[in-house]
Amino acid sequence: MKRRIRLALEHLLYRKEESVYAERPREGFRVMTYNVRCDAEADGVHNWRYRRRSVVDVIRGELPTILCCQELYGNQYRYLMSELSGYDSYGVSAADGRALEKGMKTYGLCIFYDDRYTLVDKGCLWLSDTPHKP
């Protein structure tokens, strides 16, 4: 099962020949999921501004080829993009399924992928009775 999932993910990405990020491992294919949790003032000491640095540290420690994030608001997306050099991304809004936008007011889902790869296909399928509707 793991091999089939890996092959399916590799099918969606095409590896580029060169990378300026030589410190990252060249072999292996790692996938990581992370529920970032929305940025809510009501979270008090667990608010995004207090935990964002540790989120980045965990991701950098794992160096995933593909990172799937849930509950990501526009400001969180911008922060992760600024901190995670070497990644490109594709994301959608959970409200309407449209492409993730920097200033969006609702949360979304985002896949960050190693920029040594080129995205060759994209889309979003919701696990529901109506999979083409968010």
Side-chain angles (χ1 to χ4, degrees), residues 24-40:
R24 288 193 281 167
R26 289 223 170 253
E27 298 304 319
F29 193 89
R30 297 172 59 99
V31 177
M32 177 181 174
T33 64
Y34 206 121
N35 187 330
V36 174
R37 172 123 173 87
C38 58
D39 182 7

Side-chain angles (χ1 to χ4, degrees), residues 22-77:
E23 74 277 3
R24 288 193 281 167
R26 289 223 170 253
E27 298 304 319
F29 193 89
R30 297 172 59 99
V31 177
M32 177 181 174
T33 64
Y34 206 121
N35 187 330
V36 174
R37 172 123 173 87
C38 58
D39 182 7
E41 281 298 320
D43 285 346
V45 298
H46 301 293
N47 183 275
W48 172 247
R49 70 178 168 265
Y50 302 123
R51 59 188 164 82
R52 65 186 185 181
R53 180 85 258 141
S54 61
V55 168
V56 169
D57 289 344
V58 167
I59 295 167
R60 283 184 180 156
E62 294 298 324
L63 290 174
T65 308
I66 295 177
L67 168 65
C68 305
C69 292
Q70 302 89 36
E71 294 192 22
L72 197 63
Y73 276 86
N75 65 312
Q76 294 168 302
Y77 168 72

Side-chain angles (χ1 to χ4, degrees), residues 77 90-94 96-102 104 108-109 122:
Y77 168 72
Y90 172 73
V92 296
S93 164
D96 58 15
R98 294 193 325 216
L100 188 68
E101 297 173 10
K102 293 179 182 176
M104 83 184 179
L109 314 167
K122 60 186 176 183

